Amino acid sequence: HCTVSDLRNQHGERQTSELIIALEQGREALCSEVVFLRGEPTIRPDIARLVRRARDLGYSHVQLQTNGRMFSVPGFTRELMNAGMTHAEVSLYGPTPDIHDSIARSEGAYSQTHAGLFKLASTRPYWTEAQCGDVNFVVNDRENCPDSSDVSCVSNAEARGWSTQHQ
């Protein structure tokens, strides 16, 4: 596992050519895994191209960390799978639309995320053994799980098979 520096906050959004160079450098350093994250990678118009390039370079693990909303767009999930996406980690910010939408700061985000998750699940029969999807329930003490002694929200998330991340 290798890490390519996250320069997004220092240099703004990285250009496609810069990311391809970073992918090439990663493989030269014998990296076999890449994770596209931050800034919602699925809204990049070149994300399928970047996923394909990573697979063509020999990355065995190509993951997207995402809010999952774009997976609800017809054809998008299949396009990324065909490009070579091996893993998708979708963040869910709350157990209800009100909580999730409040944290995401976008009305309707919960519905879109759920639609994206269902689209991912519906493609599961076509996934290879190397491909998988995960739901990451983000625990935010202040907003979606305010009483840290009451772990029922975490337990409920884990009972659904979701991983949890405490922030």
Coordinates of all heavy atoms in Angstrom, one line a residue, residues 15-94:
Q15 N -5.6 18.6 -12.1 CA -5.9 18.3 -13.4 C -5.8 16.8 -13.8 O -5.0 16.1 -13.1 CB -5.0 19.1 -14.4 CG -5.1 20.6 -14.2 CD -6.6 21.1 -14.5 OE1 -7.1 20.7 -15.6 NE2 -7.1 21.9 -13.6
T16 N -6.5 16.3 -14.8 CA -6.4 14.9 -15.2 C -4.9 14.5 -15.5 O -4.5 13.5 -15.0 CB -7.2 14.7 -16.5 OG1 -8.6 15.1 -16.2 CG2 -7.2 13.3 -16.9
S17 N -4.2 15.3 -16.2 CA -2.8 15.0 -16.5 C -2.0 14.8 -15.3 O -1.1 14.0 -15.2 CB -2.2 16.0 -17.5 OG -2.3 17.3 -16.9
E18 N -2.2 15.7 -14.3 CA -1.4 15.6 -13.0 C -1.8 14.3 -12.3 O -0.9 13.6 -11.7 CB -1.8 16.7 -12.1 CG -1.3 18.1 -12.5 CD -1.8 19.2 -11.6 OE1 -3.1 19.5 -11.6 OE2 -1.0 19.7 -10.9
L19 N -3.0 13.9 -12.3 CA -3.4 12.7 -11.6 C -2.9 11.4 -12.3 O -2.5 10.5 -11.7 CB -4.9 12.6 -11.5 CG -5.5 13.7 -10.6 CD1 -7.0 13.7 -10.6 CD2 -5.1 13.4 -9.1
I20 N -2.9 11.5 -13.7 CA -2.3 10.3 -14.4 C -0.8 10.2 -14.1 O -0.3 9.1 -13.9 CB -2.6 10.5 -15.9 CG1 -4.1 10.3 -16.2 CG2 -1.7 9.5 -16.8 CD1 -4.5 10.6 -17.6
I21 N -0.1 11.3 -14.0 CA 1.3 11.3 -13.7 C 1.5 10.7 -12.3 O 2.3 9.8 -12.0 CB 2.0 12.7 -13.8 CG1 2.1 13.1 -15.2 CG2 3.3 12.7 -13.1 CD1 2.5 14.5 -15.5
A22 N 0.6 11.1 -11.3 CA 0.7 10.6 -9.9 C 0.4 9.1 -9.9 O 1.1 8.3 -9.2 CB -0.3 11.3 -9.0
L23 N -0.5 8.6 -10.8 CA -0.8 7.2 -10.8 C 0.4 6.4 -11.4 O 0.7 5.4 -10.9 CB -2.1 6.9 -11.7 CG -3.4 7.3 -11.2 CD1 -4.5 7.3 -12.3 CD2 -3.8 6.5 -10.0
E24 N 1.0 7.0 -12.4 CA 2.2 6.3 -13.0 C 3.3 6.3 -12.0 O 4.0 5.2 -11.9 CB 2.6 7.1 -14.3 CG 1.6 6.9 -15.4 CD 1.9 7.9 -16.6 OE1 2.7 8.9 -16.4 OE2 1.2 7.7 -17.6
Q25 N 3.5 7.4 -11.2 CA 4.6 7.4 -10.2 C 4.3 6.4 -9.1 O 5.2 5.7 -8.6 CB 4.7 8.8 -9.7 CG 5.3 9.8 -10.6 CD 5.3 11.2 -10.1 OE1 4.5 11.6 -9.2 NE2 6.1 12.0 -10.7
G26 N 3.0 6.2 -8.8 CA 2.6 5.2 -7.8 C 3.0 3.8 -8.2 O 3.5 3.0 -7.4
R27 N 2.7 3.5 -9.4 CA 3.0 2.2 -9.9 C 4.5 2.0 -10.0 O 5.0 0.9 -9.7 CB 2.4 1.9 -11.3 CG 0.9 1.6 -11.2 CD 0.6 0.4 -10.4 NE 1.1 -0.8 -11.0 CZ 1.5 -1.9 -10.3 NH1 1.6 -1.9 -9.0 NH2 2.0 -2.9 -10.9
E28 N 5.3 3.0 -10.4 CA 6.7 2.9 -10.4 C 7.3 2.6 -9.0 O 8.3 2.0 -8.9 CB 7.4 4.2 -11.0 CG 7.1 4.4 -12.5 CD 7.6 5.8 -13.0 OE1 8.2 6.6 -12.2 OE2 7.3 6.0 -14.2
A29 N 6.6 3.1 -8.0 CA 7.0 2.9 -6.6 C 6.4 1.6 -6.1 O 6.4 1.3 -4.9 CB 6.5 4.0 -5.7
L30 N 5.8 0.8 -7.0 CA 5.2 -0.6 -6.7 C 3.9 -0.5 -5.9 O 3.6 -1.5 -5.2 CB 6.2 -1.5 -6.0 CG 7.5 -1.7 -6.8 CD1 8.5 -2.6 -6.1 CD2 7.2 -2.3 -8.2
C31 N 3.2 0.6 -6.0 CA 1.9 0.7 -5.3 C 0.9 -0.2 -6.1 O 1.0 -0.3 -7.3 CB 1.4 2.1 -5.3 SG 2.3 3.2 -4.3
S32 N 0.0 -0.9 -5.4 CA -1.0 -1.7 -6.1 C -2.4 -1.3 -5.8 O -3.3 -1.9 -6.3 CB -0.8 -3.2 -5.6 OG -0.9 -3.3 -4.2
E33 N -2.5 -0.3 -4.9 CA -3.9 0.2 -4.5 C -4.0 1.7 -4.7 O -3.0 2.4 -4.4 CB -4.2 -0.2 -3.0 CG -4.1 -1.6 -2.7 CD -4.4 -1.9 -1.2 OE1 -4.6 -1.0 -0.5 OE2 -4.3 -3.1 -0.9
V34 N -5.1 2.1 -5.1 CA -5.4 3.6 -5.2 C -6.8 3.8 -4.7 O -7.7 3.0 -5.0 CB -5.1 4.1 -6.6 CG1 -6.1 3.5 -7.6 CG2 -5.2 5.6 -6.6
V35 N -7.0 4.9 -4.0 CA -8.3 5.3 -3.5 C -8.5 6.8 -4.0 O -7.7 7.6 -3.7 CB -8.4 5.2 -2.0 CG1 -9.8 5.6 -1.5 CG2 -8.0 3.8 -1.5
F36 N -9.6 7.0 -4.7 CA -10.0 8.3 -5.1 C -10.9 8.8 -4.1 O -12.0 8.2 -3.8 CB -10.7 8.3 -6.5 CG -9.8 7.9 -7.6 CD1 -9.8 6.6 -8.1 CD2 -8.9 8.8 -8.2 CE1 -8.9 6.2 -9.1 CE2 -8.1 8.4 -9.2 CZ -8.1 7.1 -9.7
L37 N -10.6 10.0 -3.4 CA -11.4 10.5 -2.4 C -11.3 12.0 -2.3 O -10.5 12.6 -3.0 CB -10.9 9.9 -1.0 CG -9.5 10.2 -0.5 CD1 -9.5 10.3 1.0 CD2 -8.5 9.2 -1.0
R38 N -12.1 12.6 -1.4 CA -12.1 14.0 -1.2 C -12.6 14.8 -2.4 O -12.3 14.5 -3.5 CB -10.8 14.6 -0.7 CG -10.3 14.0 0.6 CD -9.4 14.9 1.3 NE -9.0 14.3 2.6 CZ -7.9 13.5 2.8 NH1 -7.1 13.3 1.9 NH2 -7.7 13.0 4.0
G39 N -13.4 15.8 -2.1 CA -13.9 16.6 -3.1 C -15.0 15.9 -4.0 O -15.3 16.4 -5.1
E40 N -15.5 14.8 -3.5 CA -16.4 14.0 -4.2 C -15.9 13.6 -5.6 O -16.3 14.2 -6.6 CB -17.8 14.6 -4.3 CG -18.9 13.6 -4.8 CD -18.8 12.2 -4.2 OE1 -18.7 12.2 -2.9 OE2 -18.8 11.2 -4.9
P41 N -15.1 12.5 -5.7 CA -14.5 12.1 -6.9 C -15.5 11.8 -8.0 O -15.2 11.9 -9.2 CB -13.7 10.9 -6.5 CG -14.3 10.4 -5.3 CD -14.8 11.6 -4.6
T42 N -16.7 11.3 -7.7 CA -17.6 10.9 -8.7 C -18.2 12.0 -9.5 O -18.8 11.8 -10.6 CB -18.8 10.1 -8.1 OG1 -19.6 10.9 -7.2 CG2 -18.3 8.8 -7.4
I43 N -18.0 13.3 -9.1 CA -18.5 14.4 -10.0 C -17.5 14.9 -10.9 O -17.7 15.7 -11.8 CB -19.1 15.5 -9.1 CG1 -18.0 16.2 -8.2 CG2 -20.3 15.1 -8.3 CD1 -18.5 17.5 -7.5
R44 N -16.3 14.3 -10.9 CA -15.3 14.6 -11.9 C -15.7 14.0 -13.2 O -16.0 12.8 -13.3 CB -13.9 14.0 -11.5 CG -13.2 14.7 -10.3 CD -11.8 14.1 -10.2 NE -11.0 14.4 -11.3 CZ -10.1 15.4 -11.3 NH1 -9.8 16.1 -10.2 NH2 -9.3 15.6 -12.4
P45 N -15.7 14.8 -14.3 CA -16.1 14.2 -15.6 C -15.1 13.1 -16.1 O -15.5 12.3 -16.9 CB -16.1 15.4 -16.5 CG -15.8 16.6 -15.7 CD -15.5 16.2 -14.3
D46 N -13.9 13.1 -15.5 CA -12.9 12.2 -16.0 C -12.7 11.0 -15.1 O -11.8 10.2 -15.2 CB -11.5 12.9 -16.1 CG -11.1 13.5 -14.8 OD1 -11.8 13.5 -13.8 OD2 -9.9 14.0 -14.8
I47 N -13.6 10.8 -14.1 CA -13.4 9.7 -13.1 C -13.3 8.3 -13.8 O -12.4 7.5 -13.4 CB -14.4 9.7 -12.0 CG1 -14.0 8.8 -10.8 CG2 -15.8 9.4 -12.4 CD1 -12.7 9.2 -10.2
A48 N -14.1 8.0 -14.7 CA -14.1 6.7 -15.4 C -12.7 6.5 -16.1 O -12.1 5.5 -16.1 CB -15.2 6.5 -16.3
R49 N -12.3 7.6 -16.7 CA -11.0 7.6 -17.4 C -9.8 7.3 -16.4 O -8.9 6.6 -16.7 CB -10.7 8.9 -18.2 CG -9.4 9.0 -18.8 CD -9.2 10.3 -19.6 NE -7.9 10.4 -20.1 CZ -7.3 11.6 -20.3 NH1 -7.9 12.7 -20.2 NH2 -6.0 11.6 -20.8
L50 N -9.9 8.0 -15.3 CA -8.9 7.8 -14.2 C -8.9 6.4 -13.7 O -7.8 5.8 -13.5 CB -9.0 8.8 -13.1 CG -8.7 10.3 -13.5 CD1 -9.2 11.2 -12.4 CD2 -7.3 10.4 -13.8
V51 N -10.1 5.8 -13.4 CA -10.2 4.5 -13.0 C -9.6 3.5 -14.0 O -8.9 2.6 -13.7 CB -11.7 4.1 -12.7 CG1 -11.9 2.6 -12.4 CG2 -12.2 4.9 -11.4
R52 N -10.0 3.7 -15.3 CA -9.5 2.8 -16.3 C -7.9 2.9 -16.4 O -7.3 1.9 -16.6 CB -10.1 3.2 -17.7 CG -9.5 2.6 -18.9 CD -9.4 1.1 -19.0 NE -10.6 0.4 -18.6 CZ -10.6 -0.8 -18.0 NH1 -9.4 -1.4 -17.7 NH2 -11.7 -1.4 -17.6
R53 N -7.4 4.1 -16.3 CA -6.0 4.3 -16.4 C -5.3 3.6 -15.2 O -4.2 2.9 -15.4 CB -5.6 5.8 -16.4 CG -4.1 6.0 -16.6 CD -3.6 5.6 -18.0 NE -2.2 5.9 -18.1 CZ -1.4 5.0 -18.6 NH1 -1.8 3.9 -19.2 NH2 -0.1 5.3 -18.7
A54 N -5.8 3.7 -14.0 CA -5.3 3.0 -12.9 C -5.3 1.5 -13.1 O -4.2 0.8 -12.9 CB -6.1 3.3 -11.6
R55 N -6.3 0.9 -13.6 CA -6.4 -0.5 -13.9 C -5.4 -0.9 -15.0 O -4.7 -1.9 -14.9 CB -7.8 -0.9 -14.3 CG -8.8 -0.8 -13.1 CD -8.5 -1.8 -12.0 NE -8.9 -3.1 -12.4 CZ -8.7 -4.2 -11.8 NH1 -8.0 -4.2 -10.7 NH2 -9.2 -5.4 -12.2
D56 N -5.3 -0.1 -16.1 CA -4.4 -0.3 -17.1 C -2.9 -0.3 -16.7 O -2.1 -1.1 -17.2 CB -4.5 0.7 -18.3 CG -5.8 0.5 -19.1 OD1 -6.5 -0.6 -18.9 OD2 -6.2 1.4 -19.8
L57 N -2.6 0.5 -15.7 CA -1.3 0.6 -15.1 C -1.0 -0.6 -14.2 O 0.2 -0.8 -13.8 CB -1.1 1.9 -14.3 CG -1.0 3.2 -15.2 CD1 -1.1 4.4 -14.3 CD2 0.4 3.2 -15.9
G58 N -2.0 -1.3 -13.8 CA -1.8 -2.5 -13.0 C -2.2 -2.4 -11.5 O -1.9 -3.3 -10.7
Y59 N -2.9 -1.4 -11.2 CA -3.5 -1.3 -9.8 C -4.5 -2.4 -9.7 O -5.4 -2.5 -10.5 CB -4.1 0.1 -9.5 CG -3.1 1.2 -9.3 CD1 -2.7 1.9 -10.4 CD2 -2.6 1.5 -8.0 CE1 -1.8 3.0 -10.2 CE2 -1.7 2.5 -7.9 CZ -1.3 3.2 -8.9 OH -0.4 4.3 -8.7
S60 N -4.4 -3.2 -8.6 CA -5.3 -4.3 -8.4 C -6.5 -3.8 -7.6 O -7.6 -4.5 -7.6 CB -4.7 -5.5 -7.7 OG -4.1 -5.1 -6.5
H61 N -6.4 -2.8 -6.8 CA -7.4 -2.2 -5.9 C -7.7 -0.8 -6.3 O -6.8 0.1 -6.2 CB -6.9 -2.3 -4.5 CG -7.9 -1.8 -3.5 ND1 -8.6 -2.6 -2.6 CD2 -8.2 -0.5 -3.2 CE1 -9.3 -1.8 -1.8 NE2 -9.1 -0.6 -2.1
V62 N -8.8 -0.5 -6.9 CA -9.2 0.8 -7.3 C -10.5 1.2 -6.6 O -11.6 0.7 -7.0 CB -9.3 1.0 -8.9 CG1 -9.7 2.4 -9.2 CG2 -8.0 0.6 -9.5
Q63 N -10.4 2.0 -5.6 CA -11.5 2.3 -4.8 C -12.0 3.8 -4.9 O -11.2 4.7 -5.1 CB -11.1 2.0 -3.3 CG -12.2 2.4 -2.3 CD -11.8 2.0 -0.9 OE1 -10.9 1.2 -0.7 NE2 -12.4 2.7 0.1
L64 N -13.3 4.0 -4.8 CA -13.9 5.3 -4.7 C -14.5 5.5 -3.3 O -15.2 4.6 -2.8 CB -14.9 5.5 -5.7 CG -14.5 5.5 -7.2 CD1 -15.7 5.7 -8.1 CD2 -13.5 6.6 -7.4
Q65 N -14.1 6.5 -2.6 CA -14.8 6.9 -1.3 C -15.7 8.1 -1.7 O -15.2 9.1 -2.2 CB -13.8 7.4 -0.2 CG -13.1 6.2 0.3 CD -12.2 6.6 1.5 OE1 -12.0 7.8 1.8 NE2 -11.6 5.6 2.1
T66 N -17.0 7.9 -1.5 CA -18.0 8.7 -2.1 C -19.2 8.9 -1.3 O -19.5 8.1 -0.4 CB -18.4 8.2 -3.5 OG1 -19.4 8.9 -4.1 CG2 -18.8 6.7 -3.4
N67 N -20.0 9.9 -1.6 CA -21.3 10.0 -0.9 C -22.3 9.1 -1.6 O -23.5 9.0 -1.2 CB -21.8 11.5 -0.9 CG -22.0 12.1 -2.3 OD1 -22.3 11.4 -3.3 ND2 -21.8 13.4 -2.4
G68 N -22.0 8.5 -2.7 CA -22.8 7.5 -3.4 C -23.9 8.1 -4.3 O -24.6 7.3 -5.0
R69 N -24.1 9.4 -4.3 CA -25.2 9.9 -5.0 C -25.2 9.7 -6.5 O -26.2 9.5 -7.1 CB -25.4 11.4 -4.6 CG -25.7 11.6 -3.2 CD -25.5 13.0 -2.7 NE -26.5 13.9 -3.3 CZ -26.6 15.2 -3.0 NH1 -25.7 15.8 -2.2 NH2 -27.5 16.0 -3.6
M70 N -24.0 9.8 -7.1 CA -23.9 9.6 -8.5 C -24.2 8.2 -9.0 O -24.6 8.0 -10.1 CB -22.5 10.0 -9.0 CG -22.2 11.5 -9.1 SD -23.3 12.4 -10.3 CE -22.6 11.7 -11.8
F71 N -24.1 7.2 -8.1 CA -24.4 5.9 -8.5 C -25.9 5.7 -8.8 O -26.3 4.8 -9.5 CB -24.0 4.9 -7.4 CG -22.6 4.7 -7.2 CD1 -22.0 4.9 -6.0 CD2 -21.8 4.4 -8.3 CE1 -20.6 4.7 -5.8 CE2 -20.4 4.2 -8.1 CZ -19.8 4.4 -6.9
S72 N -26.7 6.7 -8.4 CA -28.1 6.7 -8.8 C -28.4 7.1 -10.2 O -29.5 6.9 -10.7 CB -28.9 7.6 -7.8 OG -28.6 9.0 -8.0
V73 N -27.4 7.7 -10.9 CA -27.6 8.2 -12.2 C -27.5 6.9 -13.2 O -26.6 6.1 -13.1 CB -26.4 9.2 -12.6 CG1 -26.5 9.5 -14.1 CG2 -26.6 10.4 -11.8
P74 N -28.5 6.8 -14.0 CA -28.5 5.6 -14.9 C -27.2 5.4 -15.7 O -26.7 6.4 -16.3 CB -29.7 5.8 -15.8 CG -30.6 6.7 -15.1 CD -29.7 7.6 -14.2
G75 N -26.6 4.2 -15.6 CA -25.4 3.9 -16.4 C -24.1 4.2 -15.7 O -23.1 3.7 -16.1
F76 N -24.2 5.1 -14.7 CA -22.9 5.5 -14.0 C -22.2 4.4 -13.3 O -21.0 4.2 -13.5 CB -23.2 6.7 -13.1 CG -22.0 7.2 -12.4 CD1 -21.2 8.2 -13.2 CD2 -21.6 6.9 -11.2 CE1 -20.1 8.7 -12.6 CE2 -20.4 7.5 -10.6 CZ -19.7 8.4 -11.3
T77 N -22.9 3.6 -12.6 CA -22.3 2.5 -11.8 C -21.7 1.5 -12.8 O -20.6 1.1 -12.6 CB -23.4 1.8 -10.9 OG1 -24.0 2.7 -10.1 CG2 -22.8 0.7 -10.1
R78 N -22.4 1.1 -13.8 CA -21.9 0.2 -14.8 C -20.7 0.7 -15.5 O -19.7 0.0 -15.8 CB -23.0 -0.2 -15.8 CG -22.6 -1.2 -16.8 CD -22.3 -2.5 -16.2 NE -23.5 -3.1 -15.6 CZ -23.9 -4.3 -15.9 NH1 -23.2 -5.1 -16.7 NH2 -25.0 -4.8 -15.4
E79 N -20.7 2.0 -15.8 CA -19.5 2.6 -16.5 C -18.3 2.5 -15.6 O -17.2 2.2 -16.1 CB -19.8 4.1 -16.7 CG -18.6 4.8 -17.4 CD -18.9 6.3 -17.6 OE1 -19.8 6.9 -17.0 OE2 -18.1 6.9 -18.4
L80 N -18.4 2.8 -14.3 CA -17.2 2.7 -13.4 C -16.8 1.2 -13.2 O -15.6 0.9 -13.1 CB -17.5 3.3 -12.1 CG -17.5 4.8 -12.1 CD1 -17.9 5.4 -10.7 CD2 -16.2 5.4 -12.5
M81 N -17.8 0.3 -13.2 CA -17.4 -1.1 -13.0 C -16.7 -1.6 -14.3 O -15.7 -2.3 -14.2 CB -18.7 -2.0 -12.8 CG -19.3 -1.8 -11.5 SD -20.8 -2.7 -11.3 CE -20.3 -4.4 -11.7
N82 N -17.2 -1.2 -15.5 CA -16.5 -1.5 -16.7 C -15.1 -0.9 -16.8 O -14.2 -1.4 -17.5 CB -17.4 -1.1 -17.9 CG -18.6 -2.0 -18.0 OD1 -18.7 -3.1 -17.5 ND2 -19.6 -1.5 -18.7
A83 N -14.9 0.3 -16.2 CA -13.6 1.0 -16.2 C -12.7 0.2 -15.3 O -11.4 0.4 -15.5 CB -13.8 2.4 -15.8
G84 N -13.2 -0.5 -14.3 CA -12.3 -1.3 -13.5 C -12.4 -0.9 -12.0 O -11.5 -1.4 -11.2
M85 N -13.4 -0.2 -11.6 CA -13.5 0.1 -10.1 C -13.7 -1.3 -9.4 O -14.5 -2.1 -9.8 CB -14.8 0.9 -9.9 CG -15.1 1.1 -8.4 SD -16.7 2.0 -8.2 CE -17.9 0.8 -8.7
T86 N -12.9 -1.5 -8.4 CA -13.0 -2.7 -7.6 C -13.7 -2.6 -6.3 O -14.2 -3.5 -5.7 CB -11.6 -3.3 -7.3 OG1 -10.8 -2.4 -6.5 CG2 -10.8 -3.6 -8.6
H87 N -13.7 -1.3 -5.7 CA -14.3 -1.1 -4.4 C -15.0 0.3 -4.4 O -14.5 1.2 -5.0 CB -13.3 -1.1 -3.3 CG -12.7 -2.4 -3.1 ND1 -11.7 -2.9 -3.9 CD2 -12.9 -3.3 -2.1 CE1 -11.3 -4.1 -3.5 NE2 -12.0 -4.4 -2.4
A88 N -16.2 0.3 -3.8 CA -16.9 1.6 -3.5 C -17.2 1.7 -2.1 O -17.8 0.7 -1.5 CB -18.1 1.7 -4.4
E89 N -16.8 2.7 -1.4 CA -17.1 2.9 0.0 C -18.0 4.2 0.0 O -17.6 5.3 -0.3 CB -15.9 3.2 0.8 CG -16.2 3.4 2.3 CD -15.0 3.6 3.1 OE1 -14.0 2.8 3.0 OE2 -14.9 4.6 3.9
V90 N -19.3 3.9 0.4 CA -20.3 5.0 0.4 C -20.5 5.5 1.9 O -20.8 4.6 2.7 CB -21.6 4.5 -0.2 CG1 -22.7 5.6 -0.1 CG2 -21.4 4.1 -1.6
S91 N -20.4 6.8 2.1 CA -20.6 7.3 3.4 C -22.1 7.7 3.6 O -22.7 8.3 2.8 CB -19.8 8.6 3.6 OG -18.4 8.2 3.6
L92 N -22.6 7.2 4.8 CA -24.0 7.5 5.2 C -23.9 8.3 6.5 O -23.3 7.8 7.4 CB -24.8 6.2 5.4 CG -26.3 6.4 5.6 CD1 -27.0 7.0 4.4 CD2 -26.9 5.0 5.9
Y93 N -24.5 9.5 6.5 CA -24.3 10.4 7.7 C -25.3 10.3 8.7 O -25.2 11.0 9.7 CB -24.1 11.8 7.2 CG -22.9 12.0 6.3 CD1 -23.0 12.2 4.9 CD2 -21.6 11.9 6.8 CE1 -21.9 12.3 4.1 CE2 -20.5 12.0 6.0 CZ -20.7 12.2 4.6 OH -19.6 12.3 3.8
G94 N -26.4 9.6 8.5 CA -27.4 9.5 9.5 C -28.4 8.5 9.1 O -28.6 8.1 8.0

